[in-house]
């Protein structure tokens, strides 16, 4: 029997609560399937470690997880460590060297969930946002001079490479092709940013020729926010830069009902390195330790992990279990207006998995 080795990194805040729920659901999934198992290795990397030792992970951290089949990540961030230190010290320190350049964020209104958009339900909002995850505005190029002096100056240079743009466009077009509507929207800002964003548009048009069966259009990022809220049904697959997609996907998560539901996959499509799966929410300090964190974002990220591992039946089964549970309002956590606890939702998903009699 195949055993998948998974590196579990709960990180900070509610990370440990949602990751232990995720591990429980994944084990229940493997048990129901019978064809594979999981071996989890847990890593205590995060802000507490940083405060004690000065580093979020050990020097050889990446070597410890390089050979794992996948990484399950919780969240990173504490109030007394600056956000940029945490982001670059842990999440980006894994994503960038492991070349997880395709960040995939599906958004759907799950059964039983009410969108803040009036009159919008399931079929009208079914998107996948593809975020360029390796360069652009988060390339880390820039610096500060004359610190603390009146003439202080700082730059953050967004860095786009032809190779980086072409590979994310190819990934997005291929993903759009795999979905029923075969429709891609390329988000840009080439009216104001006349160098990198114009190259981004040109490469999109070039790659589009390789995918004649995919229809595509182009949208300025500012106008995109209006289209997402006013005409959600006109969108399907979306590709955007690191910064634009970061912002748009938080909007997407809110429109789909709660930040606590939204999943993401940081993929290294060539599989040279392990890919990383995580809920998109942060550490959520206001609810830490209360046992009410919504684990659905982690469960849905686990579905994406199962798909990546090549277990489509188990992935579909876990997604069915999630949808069965969200459809029952008595199993909604407080972020969805309910009273359920993390443990109730987790048990219900595990029970649904055990009781799922569909063959695939
Ligand atoms: P970050 O900067 O790390 O992304 P943030 O401050 O932007 O974090 P979150 O920590 O995700 O955002 O929290 C935003 C709000 O959403 C908080 O009120 C939090 O309690 C709520 N929230 C986030 N995730 C969950 C979850 N899984 N379950 C319930 N509530 C959540």
């Amino acid at each position: 029997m195949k055993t998948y080795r998974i590196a579990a990194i709960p990180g900070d805040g509610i990370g440990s609560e949602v990751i232990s729920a995720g591990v429980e659901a994944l084990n229940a999934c493997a048990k129901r399937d019978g064809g594979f198992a999981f071996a989890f290795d847990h890593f205590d990397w995060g802000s507490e470690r940083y405060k004690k030792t000065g580093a979020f992970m050990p020097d050889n951290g990446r070597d410890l997880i390089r050979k794992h089949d996948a990484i399950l990540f919780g969240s990173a961030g504490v109030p007394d460590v600056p956000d940029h230190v945490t982001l670059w010290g842990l999440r980006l320190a894994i994503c960038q060297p492991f070349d997880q350049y395709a960040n995939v964020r599906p958004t759907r209104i799950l059964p039983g969930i009410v969108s803040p958009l009036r009159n919008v339900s399931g079929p009208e909002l079914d998107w996948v946002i593809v975020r360029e995850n390796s360069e652009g505005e988060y390339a880390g190029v820039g610096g500060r001079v004359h610190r603390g002096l009146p003439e202080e100056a700082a730059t953050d240079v967004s860095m786009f490479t032809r190779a980086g743009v072409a590979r994310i466009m190819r990934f997005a077009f291929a993903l759009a092709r795999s979905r029923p509507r075969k429709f891609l929207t390329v988000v840009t800002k080439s009216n104001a940013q006349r160098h990198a964003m114009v190259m981004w548009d040109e490469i999109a048009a070039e790659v589009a020729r390789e995918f004649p069966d995919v229809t595509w259009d182009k949208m300025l990022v500012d106008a995109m926010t209006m289209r997402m809220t006013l005409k959600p049904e006109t969108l399907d697959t979306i590709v955007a830069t690191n910064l634009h997609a970061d912002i748009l996907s938080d909007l997407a998560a809110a429109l789909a009902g709660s930040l606590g539901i939204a999943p993401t996959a940081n993929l290294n499509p060539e599989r040279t390195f392990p890919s990383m799966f995580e809920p998109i929410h942060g550490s959520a300090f206001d609810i830490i330790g209360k046992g009410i964190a919504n684990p659905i974002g982690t469960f849905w990220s686990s579905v994406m992990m199962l798909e990546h591992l090549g277990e489509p039946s188990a992935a579909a089964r876990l997604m069915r279990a999630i949808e069965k549970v969200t459809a029952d309002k008595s199993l909604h956590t407080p972020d969805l207006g309910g009273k359920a606890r993390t443990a109730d939702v987790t048990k219900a998903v595990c029970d649904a998995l055990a009781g799922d009699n569909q063959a695939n």
Side-chain angles (χ1 to χ4, degrees), residues 127-279:
W127 309 329
V128 185
I129 299 180
V130 176
R131 169 181 176 184
E132 201 297 314
N133 210 30
S134 69
E135 54 176 38
E137 307 87 345
Y138 296 1
V141 178
R144 279 172 82 168
V145 289
H146 312 309
R147 265 182 198 255
L149 300 173
E151 60 272 34
E152 181 166 4
T155 58
D156 267 301
V157 180
S158 57
M159 185 63 68
F160 288 84
T161 63
R162 172 163 279 279
V165 177
R167 68 183 182 176
I168 200 67
M169 288 297 168
R170 263 188 205 105
F171 182 91
F173 272 96
L175 182 63
R177 173 186 269 170
S178 74
R179 288 168 54 87
R181 287 172 70 183
K182 301 191 192 309
F183 177 59
L184 177 71
T185 298
V186 175
V187 177
T188 185
K189 190 62 192 169
S190 48
N191 57 344
Q193 294 176 298
R194 60 198 176 133
H195 307 296
M197 286 287 86
V198 172
M199 183 179 84
W200 170 269
D201 291 358
E202 285 169 8
I203 295 172
E206 284 167 28
V207 172
R209 283 185 225 118
E210 299 167 23
F211 296 85
D213 52 334
V214 176
T215 315
W216 69 290
D217 64 5
K218 209 165 66 179
M219 223 39 222
L220 293 176
V221 65
D222 40 341
M224 186 67 176
T225 57
M226 282 198 288
R227 185 162 163 196
M228 287 168 73
T229 45
L230 300 178
K231 293 187 176 165
E233 72 287 354
T234 67
L235 293 164
D236 188 78
T237 310
I238 297 159
V239 63
T241 70
N242 217 329
L243 175 65
H244 293 164
D246 189 9
I247 298 165
L248 294 179
S249 56
D250 261 31
L251 171 62
L255 298 179
S258 166
L259 206 53
I261 293 176
T264 187
N266 301 281
L267 299 179
N268 172 247
E270 289 74 26
R271 295 170 188 264
T272 314
F273 301 100
S275 293
M276 181 158 80
F277 302 83
E278 55 174 337

Side-chain angles (χ1 to χ4, degrees), residues 14 18 76 83 259-260 280-287 292-295 335:
I14 59 168
V18 294
D83 280 347
L259 206 53
I280 84 161
H281 63 74
S283 304
F285 293 109
D286 46 335
I287 56 164
I292 54 166
N294 191 342
D335 55 307

